[in-house]
Structures are given as structure tokens and as C-alpha cells.
Short mmCIF file of all heavy atoms in Angstrom, two decimals:
data_model
loop_
_atom_site.label_atom_id
_atom_site.label_comp_id
_atom_site.label_asym_id
_atom_site.label_seq_id
_atom_site.Cartn_x
_atom_site.Cartn_y
_atom_site.Cartn_z
N ASP T 24 -11.84 19.34 -12.18
CA ASP T 24 -10.59 19.31 -12.97
C ASP T 24 -10.52 17.91 -13.50
O ASP T 24 -10.54 16.84 -12.62
CB ASP T 24 -9.54 19.73 -11.96
CG ASP T 24 -8.08 19.31 -12.34
OD1 ASP T 24 -7.92 18.05 -12.38
OD2 ASP T 24 -7.36 20.26 -12.64
N ASP T 25 -10.32 17.72 -14.77
CA ASP T 25 -10.25 16.41 -15.41
C ASP T 25 -9.12 15.47 -14.88
O ASP T 25 -9.42 14.35 -14.76
CB ASP T 25 -10.01 16.56 -16.87
CG ASP T 25 -11.27 17.19 -17.66
OD1 ASP T 25 -12.38 17.02 -17.02
OD2 ASP T 25 -11.12 17.63 -18.71
N LEU T 26 -8.05 15.99 -14.52
CA LEU T 26 -6.91 15.19 -14.02
C LEU T 26 -7.29 14.50 -12.66
O LEU T 26 -7.12 13.41 -12.55
CB LEU T 26 -5.61 16.04 -13.83
CG LEU T 26 -4.45 15.25 -13.37
CD1 LEU T 26 -4.00 14.18 -14.19
CD2 LEU T 26 -3.28 16.14 -13.20
N SER T 27 -7.81 15.31 -11.77
CA SER T 27 -8.19 14.77 -10.45
C SER T 27 -9.33 13.73 -10.66
O SER T 27 -9.33 12.72 -9.97
CB SER T 27 -8.49 15.79 -9.45
OG SER T 27 -9.60 16.50 -9.86
N GLU T 28 -10.31 14.04 -11.61
CA GLU T 28 -11.33 13.04 -11.71
C GLU T 28 -10.77 11.67 -12.34
O GLU T 28 -11.23 10.62 -11.90
CB GLU T 28 -12.31 13.64 -12.80
CG GLU T 28 -13.32 14.70 -12.20
CD GLU T 28 -14.25 15.18 -13.16
OE1 GLU T 28 -14.51 14.52 -14.19
OE2 GLU T 28 -14.64 16.36 -12.94
N SER T 29 -9.81 11.82 -13.27
CA SER T 29 -9.21 10.64 -13.73
C SER T 29 -8.44 9.96 -12.76
O SER T 29 -8.40 8.62 -12.71
CB SER T 29 -8.38 11.00 -15.02
OG SER T 29 -7.16 10.39 -14.96
N ILE T 30 -7.65 10.53 -11.88
CA ILE T 30 -6.88 9.91 -10.79
C ILE T 30 -7.79 9.22 -9.84
O ILE T 30 -7.63 8.10 -9.39
CB ILE T 30 -6.11 11.03 -10.08
CG1 ILE T 30 -4.96 11.44 -11.06
CG2 ILE T 30 -5.47 10.40 -8.83
CD1 ILE T 30 -4.24 12.70 -10.61
N VAL T 31 -8.91 9.91 -9.42
CA VAL T 31 -9.89 9.36 -8.56
C VAL T 31 -10.50 8.09 -9.18
O VAL T 31 -10.74 7.08 -8.47
CB VAL T 31 -10.92 10.46 -8.19
CG1 VAL T 31 -12.15 9.79 -7.42
CG2 VAL T 31 -10.39 11.48 -7.21
N ALA T 32 -10.97 8.27 -10.42
CA ALA T 32 -11.57 7.16 -11.13
C ALA T 32 -10.57 5.85 -11.20
O ALA T 32 -10.97 4.76 -10.92
CB ALA T 32 -11.93 7.44 -12.54
N SER T 33 -9.30 6.10 -11.25
CA SER T 33 -8.32 4.98 -11.35
C SER T 33 -8.26 4.39 -9.97
O SER T 33 -8.28 3.19 -9.83
CB SER T 33 -7.04 5.64 -11.68
OG SER T 33 -6.02 4.63 -11.67
N PHE T 34 -8.29 5.17 -8.93
CA PHE T 34 -8.28 4.67 -7.52
C PHE T 34 -9.49 3.92 -7.20
O PHE T 34 -9.43 2.83 -6.64
CB PHE T 34 -8.12 5.88 -6.52
CG PHE T 34 -8.11 5.49 -5.05
CD1 PHE T 34 -6.90 4.99 -4.51
CD2 PHE T 34 -9.19 5.55 -4.35
CE1 PHE T 34 -6.82 4.60 -3.25
CE2 PHE T 34 -9.09 5.11 -2.86
CZ PHE T 34 -7.89 4.70 -2.42
N VAL T 35 -10.59 4.38 -7.62
CA VAL T 35 -11.89 3.66 -7.40
C VAL T 35 -11.93 2.40 -8.06
O VAL T 35 -12.33 1.25 -7.57
CB VAL T 35 -13.13 4.58 -7.76
CG1 VAL T 35 -14.44 3.75 -7.73
CG2 VAL T 35 -13.21 5.84 -6.88
N ASP T 36 -11.42 2.40 -9.38
CA ASP T 36 -11.34 1.12 -10.15
C ASP T 36 -10.48 0.03 -9.47
O ASP T 36 -10.93 -1.08 -9.37
CB ASP T 36 -10.81 1.45 -11.50
CG ASP T 36 -10.87 0.23 -12.45
OD1 ASP T 36 -11.98 -0.35 -12.61
OD2 ASP T 36 -9.79 -0.07 -13.02
N LYS T 37 -9.38 0.50 -8.95
CA LYS T 37 -8.50 -0.45 -8.19
C LYS T 37 -9.16 -1.02 -7.00
O LYS T 37 -9.08 -2.17 -6.72
CB LYS T 37 -7.20 0.34 -7.79
CG LYS T 37 -6.23 -0.52 -7.07
CD LYS T 37 -5.01 0.27 -6.69
CE LYS T 37 -4.30 -0.33 -5.51
NZ LYS T 37 -3.59 0.56 -4.58
N ALA T 38 -9.80 -0.08 -6.27
CA ALA T 38 -10.56 -0.50 -5.05
C ALA T 38 -11.66 -1.51 -5.39
O ALA T 38 -11.96 -2.37 -4.65
CB ALA T 38 -11.14 0.71 -4.31
N GLN T 39 -12.35 -1.23 -6.52
CA GLN T 39 -13.45 -2.13 -6.99
C GLN T 39 -12.96 -3.56 -7.27
O GLN T 39 -13.54 -4.46 -6.78
CB GLN T 39 -14.02 -1.72 -8.32
CG GLN T 39 -15.05 -0.59 -8.06
CD GLN T 39 -15.65 -0.11 -9.43
OE1 GLN T 39 -15.00 0.16 -10.31
NE2 GLN T 39 -16.96 -0.03 -9.48
N ARG T 40 -11.72 -3.73 -7.80
CA ARG T 40 -11.10 -4.91 -8.09
C ARG T 40 -10.78 -5.67 -6.78
O ARG T 40 -11.05 -6.80 -6.63
CB ARG T 40 -9.86 -4.88 -8.99
CG ARG T 40 -10.27 -4.49 -10.42
CD ARG T 40 -9.07 -4.83 -11.34
NE ARG T 40 -7.91 -3.98 -11.02
CZ ARG T 40 -7.67 -2.63 -11.52
NH1 ARG T 40 -8.67 -2.16 -12.18
NH2 ARG T 40 -6.70 -2.00 -11.13
N ALA T 41 -10.40 -4.89 -5.74
CA ALA T 41 -10.03 -5.63 -4.50
C ALA T 41 -11.39 -5.77 -3.60
O ALA T 41 -11.44 -6.68 -2.85
CB ALA T 41 -9.14 -4.60 -3.71
N GLY T 42 -12.37 -4.88 -3.88
CA GLY T 42 -13.57 -4.99 -3.15
C GLY T 42 -13.57 -4.38 -1.78
O GLY T 42 -14.49 -4.24 -1.11
N VAL T 43 -12.46 -3.92 -1.44
CA VAL T 43 -12.20 -3.26 -0.11
C VAL T 43 -11.05 -2.32 -0.21
O VAL T 43 -10.16 -2.49 -1.05
CB VAL T 43 -11.91 -4.35 0.94
CG1 VAL T 43 -10.57 -5.07 0.69
CG2 VAL T 43 -11.99 -3.79 2.37
N VAL T 44 -11.08 -1.24 0.57
CA VAL T 44 -9.98 -0.26 0.64
C VAL T 44 -9.88 0.16 2.05
O VAL T 44 -10.79 0.24 2.80
CB VAL T 44 -10.27 0.86 -0.36
CG1 VAL T 44 -11.37 1.75 0.10
CG2 VAL T 44 -8.99 1.76 -0.54
N THR T 45 -8.66 0.40 2.55
CA THR T 45 -8.35 0.79 3.85
C THR T 45 -8.49 2.37 4.03
O THR T 45 -8.16 3.03 2.97
CB THR T 45 -7.06 0.36 4.47
OG1 THR T 45 -5.98 1.04 3.65
CG2 THR T 45 -6.87 -1.18 4.31
N PHE T 46 -8.86 2.76 5.23
CA PHE T 46 -8.76 4.26 5.50
C PHE T 46 -7.38 4.81 5.23
O PHE T 46 -7.23 5.94 4.75
CB PHE T 46 -9.30 4.50 6.93
CG PHE T 46 -10.71 4.30 7.15
CD1 PHE T 46 -11.12 3.13 7.84
CD2 PHE T 46 -11.69 5.10 6.68
CE1 PHE T 46 -12.44 2.86 7.97
CE2 PHE T 46 -12.99 4.92 6.90
CZ PHE T 46 -13.42 3.81 7.70
N GLU T 47 -6.35 3.95 5.60
CA GLU T 47 -5.02 4.39 5.41
C GLU T 47 -4.71 4.64 3.85
O GLU T 47 -4.04 5.67 3.52
CB GLU T 47 -4.00 3.38 5.94
CG GLU T 47 -4.11 3.30 7.47
CD GLU T 47 -5.23 2.51 8.02
OE1 GLU T 47 -5.98 1.88 7.21
OE2 GLU T 47 -5.36 2.32 9.30
N GLU T 48 -5.13 3.72 3.06
CA GLU T 48 -4.99 3.94 1.67
C GLU T 48 -5.67 5.19 1.13
O GLU T 48 -5.03 5.90 0.26
CB GLU T 48 -5.45 2.74 0.86
CG GLU T 48 -4.68 1.45 1.03
CD GLU T 48 -5.29 0.21 0.38
OE1 GLU T 48 -6.56 0.02 0.52
OE2 GLU T 48 -4.56 -0.41 -0.47
N VAL T 49 -6.83 5.40 1.58
CA VAL T 49 -7.55 6.58 1.15
C VAL T 49 -6.80 7.96 1.62
O VAL T 49 -6.60 8.81 0.90
CB VAL T 49 -9.08 6.66 1.66
CG1 VAL T 49 -9.72 8.00 1.40
CG2 VAL T 49 -9.85 5.50 1.10
N LYS T 50 -6.39 7.88 2.94
CA LYS T 50 -5.73 9.02 3.39
C LYS T 50 -4.36 9.28 2.68
O LYS T 50 -4.09 10.36 2.29
CB LYS T 50 -5.39 8.82 4.95
CG LYS T 50 -4.71 10.00 5.58
CD LYS T 50 -4.40 9.62 7.05
CE LYS T 50 -3.13 8.97 7.15
NZ LYS T 50 -2.49 8.79 8.44
N ASP T 51 -3.65 8.20 2.36
CA ASP T 51 -2.39 8.27 1.67
C ASP T 51 -2.68 8.92 0.19
O ASP T 51 -1.94 9.73 -0.20
CB ASP T 51 -1.64 7.02 1.56
CG ASP T 51 -1.08 6.58 2.84
OD1 ASP T 51 -1.03 7.37 3.78
OD2 ASP T 51 -0.70 5.38 2.91
N PHE T 52 -3.73 8.41 -0.36
CA PHE T 52 -4.15 8.84 -1.73
C PHE T 52 -4.42 10.38 -1.59
O PHE T 52 -3.96 11.06 -2.54
CB PHE T 52 -5.29 7.99 -2.20
CG PHE T 52 -5.82 8.49 -3.68
CD1 PHE T 52 -5.10 8.03 -4.78
CD2 PHE T 52 -6.80 9.34 -3.74
CE1 PHE T 52 -5.56 8.45 -5.99
CE2 PHE T 52 -7.38 9.71 -4.92
CZ PHE T 52 -6.73 9.24 -6.08
N VAL T 53 -5.23 10.77 -0.69
CA VAL T 53 -5.59 12.18 -0.67
C VAL T 53 -4.39 13.06 -0.43
O VAL T 53 -4.31 14.05 -1.09
CB VAL T 53 -6.63 12.36 0.56
CG1 VAL T 53 -6.92 13.76 0.88
CG2 VAL T 53 -7.92 11.70 0.17
N HIS T 54 -3.38 12.64 0.42
CA HIS T 54 -2.23 13.51 0.64
C HIS T 54 -1.34 13.43 -0.56
O HIS T 54 -0.80 14.55 -0.94
CB HIS T 54 -1.52 12.97 1.84
CG HIS T 54 -2.28 13.29 3.16
ND1 HIS T 54 -2.34 14.66 3.55
CD2 HIS T 54 -2.83 12.65 4.07
CE1 HIS T 54 -3.01 14.67 4.70
NE2 HIS T 54 -3.25 13.36 5.14
N GLN T 55 -1.25 12.22 -1.21
CA GLN T 55 -0.36 12.21 -2.40
C GLN T 55 -0.77 13.10 -3.47
O GLN T 55 0.05 13.78 -4.19
CB GLN T 55 -0.29 10.73 -2.93
CG GLN T 55 0.59 10.51 -4.14
CD GLN T 55 0.60 9.04 -4.51
OE1 GLN T 55 0.02 8.15 -3.91
NE2 GLN T 55 1.34 8.83 -5.63
N TYR T 56 -2.05 13.17 -3.70
CA TYR T 56 -2.56 14.06 -4.79
C TYR T 56 -3.01 15.38 -4.39
O TYR T 56 -3.57 16.14 -5.19
CB TYR T 56 -3.63 13.27 -5.60
CG TYR T 56 -2.92 12.06 -6.32
CD1 TYR T 56 -3.06 10.80 -5.87
CD2 TYR T 56 -2.22 12.32 -7.52
CE1 TYR T 56 -2.47 9.68 -6.44
CE2 TYR T 56 -1.62 11.18 -8.18
CZ TYR T 56 -1.74 9.90 -7.68
OH TYR T 56 -1.06 8.88 -8.33
N GLY T 57 -2.93 15.76 -3.13
CA GLY T 57 -3.25 17.01 -2.66
C GLY T 57 -4.81 17.30 -2.74
O GLY T 57 -5.17 18.49 -3.22
N LEU T 58 -5.59 16.35 -2.61
CA LEU T 58 -7.04 16.54 -2.68
C LEU T 58 -7.56 17.46 -1.64
O LEU T 58 -7.08 17.41 -0.50
CB LEU T 58 -7.79 15.23 -2.76
CG LEU T 58 -7.55 14.20 -3.85
CD1 LEU T 58 -8.22 12.87 -3.59
CD2 LEU T 58 -7.86 14.72 -5.16
N THR T 59 -8.62 18.29 -1.94
CA THR T 59 -9.19 19.13 -0.99
C THR T 59 -10.06 18.28 -0.08
O THR T 59 -10.44 17.08 -0.50
CB THR T 59 -9.99 20.20 -1.62
OG1 THR T 59 -11.08 19.61 -2.27
CG2 THR T 59 -9.19 21.11 -2.58
N LYS T 60 -10.58 18.82 1.05
CA LYS T 60 -11.51 18.06 1.90
C LYS T 60 -12.77 17.73 1.10
O LYS T 60 -13.28 16.56 1.32
CB LYS T 60 -11.91 18.90 3.11
CG LYS T 60 -10.70 18.92 4.09
CD LYS T 60 -11.15 19.74 5.38
CE LYS T 60 -9.96 19.78 6.36
NZ LYS T 60 -10.30 20.45 7.64
N THR T 61 -13.21 18.66 0.31
CA THR T 61 -14.41 18.35 -0.59
C THR T 61 -14.20 17.14 -1.55
O THR T 61 -15.08 16.23 -1.61
CB THR T 61 -14.86 19.64 -1.34
OG1 THR T 61 -15.11 20.65 -0.39
CG2 THR T 61 -16.03 19.38 -2.19
N GLU T 62 -12.95 17.17 -2.18
CA GLU T 62 -12.73 16.08 -3.08
C GLU T 62 -12.55 14.77 -2.33
O GLU T 62 -13.06 13.67 -2.76
CB GLU T 62 -11.38 16.35 -3.82
CG GLU T 62 -11.55 17.49 -4.80
CD GLU T 62 -10.23 18.06 -5.39
OE1 GLU T 62 -9.15 18.02 -4.70
OE2 GLU T 62 -10.21 18.38 -6.55
N ALA T 63 -11.97 14.78 -1.12
CA ALA T 63 -11.78 13.61 -0.23
C ALA T 63 -13.18 13.09 -0.02
O ALA T 63 -13.42 11.85 -0.05
CB ALA T 63 -10.99 13.90 0.93
N ARG T 64 -14.12 13.94 0.48
CA ARG T 64 -15.45 13.53 0.70
C ARG T 64 -16.15 12.93 -0.51
O ARG T 64 -16.85 11.86 -0.37
CB ARG T 64 -16.28 14.68 1.26
CG ARG T 64 -16.02 14.94 2.75
CD ARG T 64 -17.16 15.76 3.39
NE ARG T 64 -17.12 17.24 2.87
CZ ARG T 64 -16.26 18.15 3.41
NH1 ARG T 64 -15.58 17.88 4.53
NH2 ARG T 64 -16.24 19.35 2.96
N LEU T 65 -15.96 13.52 -1.64
CA LEU T 65 -16.53 13.01 -2.82
C LEU T 65 -15.92 11.61 -3.14
O LEU T 65 -16.59 10.68 -3.61
CB LEU T 65 -16.28 13.95 -4.05
CG LEU T 65 -17.20 15.28 -3.99
CD1 LEU T 65 -16.72 16.18 -5.08
CD2 LEU T 65 -18.63 14.95 -4.10
N LEU T 66 -14.70 11.44 -2.99
CA LEU T 66 -13.95 10.07 -3.14
C LEU T 66 -14.67 9.02 -2.30
O LEU T 66 -15.01 7.87 -2.75
CB LEU T 66 -12.56 10.22 -2.89
CG LEU T 66 -11.75 8.89 -2.80
CD1 LEU T 66 -11.81 8.20 -4.20
CD2 LEU T 66 -10.28 9.12 -2.41
N ILE T 67 -14.86 9.32 -0.97
CA ILE T 67 -15.43 8.49 -0.08
C ILE T 67 -16.91 8.03 -0.53
O ILE T 67 -17.36 6.94 -0.48
CB ILE T 67 -15.35 8.89 1.37
CG1 ILE T 67 -13.86 8.90 1.84
CG2 ILE T 67 -16.25 8.15 2.28
CD1 ILE T 67 -13.56 9.54 3.18
N LYS T 68 -17.67 9.16 -0.88
CA LYS T 68 -19.00 8.92 -1.44
C LYS T 68 -18.99 7.94 -2.64
O LYS T 68 -19.79 7.08 -2.77
CB LYS T 68 -19.60 10.23 -1.73
CG LYS T 68 -20.22 10.98 -0.48
CD LYS T 68 -21.02 12.13 -1.03
CE LYS T 68 -21.55 12.95 0.12
NZ LYS T 68 -22.35 14.08 -0.23
N GLN T 69 -18.03 8.15 -3.50
CA GLN T 69 -17.89 7.32 -4.69
C GLN T 69 -17.61 5.83 -4.24
O GLN T 69 -18.18 4.99 -4.83
CB GLN T 69 -16.78 7.93 -5.57
CG GLN T 69 -16.62 7.16 -6.90
CD GLN T 69 -17.85 7.32 -7.86
OE1 GLN T 69 -18.55 8.35 -7.83
NE2 GLN T 69 -17.96 6.27 -8.66
N LEU T 70 -16.70 5.70 -3.34
CA LEU T 70 -16.38 4.41 -2.86
C LEU T 70 -17.66 3.67 -2.36
O LEU T 70 -17.90 2.52 -2.55
CB LEU T 70 -15.31 4.34 -1.86
CG LEU T 70 -13.89 4.82 -2.36
CD1 LEU T 70 -12.98 5.04 -1.19
CD2 LEU T 70 -13.34 3.78 -3.35
N GLU T 71 -18.40 4.43 -1.51
CA GLU T 71 -19.65 3.89 -0.86
C GLU T 71 -20.65 3.53 -1.98
O GLU T 71 -21.26 2.52 -1.92
CB GLU T 71 -20.26 4.84 0.11
CG GLU T 71 -19.46 4.95 1.35
CD GLU T 71 -19.88 6.19 2.27
OE1 GLU T 71 -20.74 7.03 1.82
OE2 GLU T 71 -19.30 6.20 3.39
N LYS T 72 -20.81 4.48 -2.92
CA LYS T 72 -21.74 4.21 -4.11
C LYS T 72 -21.39 2.95 -4.87
O LYS T 72 -22.33 2.17 -5.31
CB LYS T 72 -21.74 5.41 -5.04
CG LYS T 72 -22.80 5.40 -6.02
CD LYS T 72 -22.72 6.74 -6.90
CE LYS T 72 -22.61 6.32 -8.40
NZ LYS T 72 -22.17 7.44 -9.16
N GLU T 73 -20.16 2.59 -4.93
CA GLU T 73 -19.72 1.37 -5.63
C GLU T 73 -19.65 0.17 -4.71
O GLU T 73 -19.23 -0.85 -5.11
CB GLU T 73 -18.25 1.69 -6.31
CG GLU T 73 -18.22 2.86 -7.25
CD GLU T 73 -19.00 2.57 -8.54
OE1 GLU T 73 -19.24 1.37 -8.83
OE2 GLU T 73 -19.30 3.62 -9.11
N ASN T 74 -20.18 0.25 -3.59
CA ASN T 74 -20.19 -0.79 -2.53
C ASN T 74 -18.83 -1.28 -2.16
O ASN T 74 -18.61 -2.49 -2.09
CB ASN T 74 -21.12 -1.94 -3.03
CG ASN T 74 -22.60 -1.42 -3.08
OD1 ASN T 74 -23.09 -0.76 -2.19
ND2 ASN T 74 -23.19 -1.74 -4.23
N ILE T 75 -17.88 -0.32 -2.10
CA ILE T 75 -16.47 -0.79 -1.71
C ILE T 75 -16.40 -0.52 -0.25
O ILE T 75 -16.55 0.58 0.20
CB ILE T 75 -15.52 0.12 -2.60
CG1 ILE T 75 -15.62 -0.21 -4.07
CG2 ILE T 75 -14.08 -0.23 -1.98
CD1 ILE T 75 -14.93 0.83 -4.91
N GLU T 76 -16.07 -1.56 0.42
CA GLU T 76 -15.96 -1.42 1.87
C GLU T 76 -14.75 -0.71 2.43
O GLU T 76 -13.66 -0.94 1.91
CB GLU T 76 -15.96 -2.90 2.52
CG GLU T 76 -16.07 -3.00 4.00
CD GLU T 76 -16.16 -4.37 4.46
OE1 GLU T 76 -16.10 -5.35 3.72
OE2 GLU T 76 -16.31 -4.50 5.69
N LEU T 77 -14.85 0.18 3.25
CA LEU T 77 -13.83 0.94 3.89
C LEU T 77 -13.54 0.18 5.24
O LEU T 77 -14.41 0.13 6.02
CB LEU T 77 -14.20 2.38 4.18
CG LEU T 77 -14.13 3.31 3.01
CD1 LEU T 77 -14.81 4.55 3.23
CD2 LEU T 77 -12.65 3.57 2.71
N VAL T 78 -12.22 -0.15 5.41
CA VAL T 78 -11.88 -0.85 6.68
C VAL T 78 -10.51 -0.26 7.18
O VAL T 78 -9.86 0.47 6.51
CB VAL T 78 -11.70 -2.40 6.41
CG1 VAL T 78 -13.00 -3.04 6.02
CG2 VAL T 78 -10.63 -2.62 5.41
N ASN T 79 -10.28 -0.54 8.41
CA ASN T 79 -9.04 -0.22 9.04
C ASN T 79 -8.02 -1.33 8.56
O ASN T 79 -8.45 -2.47 8.39
CB ASN T 79 -9.04 -0.21 10.53
CG ASN T 79 -9.82 0.95 11.14
OD1 ASN T 79 -9.64 2.09 10.62
ND2 ASN T 79 -10.63 0.73 12.09
N GLU T 80 -6.78 -0.89 8.52
CA GLU T 80 -5.76 -1.90 8.10
C GLU T 80 -5.72 -3.18 8.93
O GLU T 80 -5.55 -4.20 8.52
CB GLU T 80 -4.37 -1.23 8.07
CG GLU T 80 -3.55 -1.71 6.83
CD GLU T 80 -2.51 -0.71 6.44
OE1 GLU T 80 -1.39 -0.95 7.03
OE2 GLU T 80 -2.69 0.17 5.70
N SER T 81 -5.93 -2.89 10.30
CA SER T 81 -5.97 -3.97 11.22
C SER T 81 -7.02 -5.02 10.95
O SER T 81 -6.88 -6.23 11.10
CB SER T 81 -5.96 -3.52 12.69
OG SER T 81 -7.14 -2.75 12.82
N GLU T 82 -8.23 -4.40 10.55
CA GLU T 82 -9.37 -5.38 10.18
C GLU T 82 -8.98 -6.18 8.93
O GLU T 82 -9.32 -7.37 8.86
CB GLU T 82 -10.63 -4.58 9.92
CG GLU T 82 -11.21 -3.81 11.03
CD GLU T 82 -12.37 -2.97 10.70
OE1 GLU T 82 -12.24 -1.97 9.85
OE2 GLU T 82 -13.47 -3.23 11.34
N LEU T 83 -8.41 -5.52 7.94
CA LEU T 83 -7.98 -6.22 6.73
C LEU T 83 -6.98 -7.31 7.10
O LEU T 83 -7.13 -8.41 6.55
CB LEU T 83 -7.39 -5.21 5.72
CG LEU T 83 -7.05 -5.66 4.34
CD1 LEU T 83 -8.36 -6.13 3.68
CD2 LEU T 83 -6.42 -4.65 3.51
N ASP T 84 -5.96 -7.01 7.85
CA ASP T 84 -5.02 -8.00 8.32
C ASP T 84 -5.66 -9.19 8.94
O ASP T 84 -5.29 -10.33 8.69
CB ASP T 84 -4.02 -7.42 9.22
CG ASP T 84 -3.03 -6.38 8.46
OD1 ASP T 84 -3.02 -6.47 7.21
OD2 ASP T 84 -2.42 -5.56 9.22
N SER T 85 -6.63 -8.98 9.95
CA SER T 85 -7.17 -10.01 10.64
C SER T 85 -8.03 -10.89 9.72
O SER T 85 -8.12 -12.09 9.87
CB SER T 85 -7.94 -9.50 11.83
OG SER T 85 -9.05 -8.71 11.40
N SER T 86 -8.80 -10.26 8.69
CA SER T 86 -9.63 -11.05 7.79
C SER T 86 -8.75 -11.86 6.88
O SER T 86 -9.22 -12.93 6.60
CB SER T 86 -10.56 -10.07 7.02
OG SER T 86 -9.91 -9.39 6.16
N ILE T 87 -7.67 -11.39 6.55
CA ILE T 87 -6.74 -12.11 5.71
C ILE T 87 -6.25 -13.38 6.45
O ILE T 87 -6.15 -14.49 5.93
CB ILE T 87 -5.56 -11.32 5.12
CG1 ILE T 87 -6.13 -10.40 4.05
CG2 ILE T 87 -4.53 -12.21 4.49
CD1 ILE T 87 -5.16 -9.29 3.58
N GLY T 88 -5.86 -13.09 7.70
CA GLY T 88 -5.37 -14.14 8.48
C GLY T 88 -6.49 -15.28 8.79
O GLY T 88 -6.12 -16.36 8.70
N SER T 89 -7.64 -14.86 9.02
CA SER T 89 -8.70 -15.81 9.33
C SER T 89 -9.06 -16.56 8.10
O SER T 89 -9.37 -17.83 8.19
CB SER T 89 -9.92 -15.22 9.88
OG SER T 89 -10.56 -14.23 9.01
N SER T 90 -9.09 -15.98 6.87
CA SER T 90 -9.37 -16.82 5.76
C SER T 90 -8.26 -17.73 5.39
O SER T 90 -8.41 -18.84 4.88
CB SER T 90 -9.56 -15.87 4.49
OG SER T 90 -8.42 -15.09 4.15
N ALA T 91 -7.01 -17.38 5.68
CA ALA T 91 -5.80 -18.30 5.47
C ALA T 91 -6.01 -19.55 6.42
O ALA T 91 -5.73 -20.63 5.99
CB ALA T 91 -4.59 -17.60 5.68
N ASP T 92 -6.46 -19.17 7.70
CA ASP T 92 -6.62 -20.30 8.60
C ASP T 92 -7.68 -21.32 8.17
O ASP T 92 -7.48 -22.53 8.28
CB ASP T 92 -7.04 -19.74 10.01
CG ASP T 92 -5.91 -19.01 10.65
OD1 ASP T 92 -4.75 -19.08 10.25
OD2 ASP T 92 -6.21 -18.20 11.62
N GLU T 93 -8.81 -20.76 7.49
CA GLU T 93 -9.88 -21.63 7.06
C GLU T 93 -9.43 -22.49 5.93
O GLU T 93 -9.75 -23.71 5.87
CB GLU T 93 -11.05 -20.71 6.62
CG GLU T 93 -11.78 -20.07 7.71
CD GLU T 93 -12.75 -19.01 7.29
OE1 GLU T 93 -13.03 -18.88 6.06
OE2 GLU T 93 -13.10 -18.18 7.99
N GLU T 94 -8.54 -21.98 5.05
CA GLU T 94 -8.09 -22.72 3.84
C GLU T 94 -7.20 -23.83 4.26
O GLU T 94 -7.20 -24.88 3.84
CB GLU T 94 -7.33 -21.79 2.87
CG GLU T 94 -8.30 -20.89 2.15
CD GLU T 94 -7.59 -19.81 1.28
OE1 GLU T 94 -6.33 -20.02 1.14
OE2 GLU T 94 -8.21 -18.88 0.92
N SER T 95 -6.38 -23.62 5.40
CA SER T 95 -5.39 -24.66 5.78
C SER T 95 -6.07 -25.65 6.59
O SER T 95 -5.51 -26.74 6.79
CB SER T 95 -4.24 -24.02 6.52
OG SER T 95 -4.62 -23.37 7.67
N GLY T 96 -7.24 -25.33 7.21
CA GLY T 96 -7.86 -26.31 8.10
C GLY T 96 -8.70 -27.28 7.29
O GLY T 96 -8.72 -28.42 7.23
#
């Protein structure tokens, strides 16, 4: 379906710019747009193909905190 492909492409594009995406963001996206399990798996494969790192939100928070510490030191 063209609409879901375009929505997924938009999500992947946003994730590419960030270089990282959280599992929570993926889960929220899947629920928001009612993606099937197959579509969700394809989304994750697409993220992996684009070398976009999937992380837990806690990992993202800690990496942001540690990079801020390095800048101030």
C-alpha cells in the first residue's frame, strides 16, 4: 500500500537524520499507524539496512548525558 510505504519512508528518513531510533519510537509508530507484524518487521529491516541504530530510550538518555559531560569537561 502506497500510503504505508510513504509513511514508513518518512519515519526512516527522520531516523537517518538522527542516526538512531529507540525501540519505543518504533513501537509507538507501529501502533499509531496500525502496521501489521509483517510491516513492523519490514520497518526494522529497513532501519538496519540503512545502518540506523536501534536503542532503548535509557541507552539514548545515558549517551546524551555522557556526551554532555565530555563537552563541559
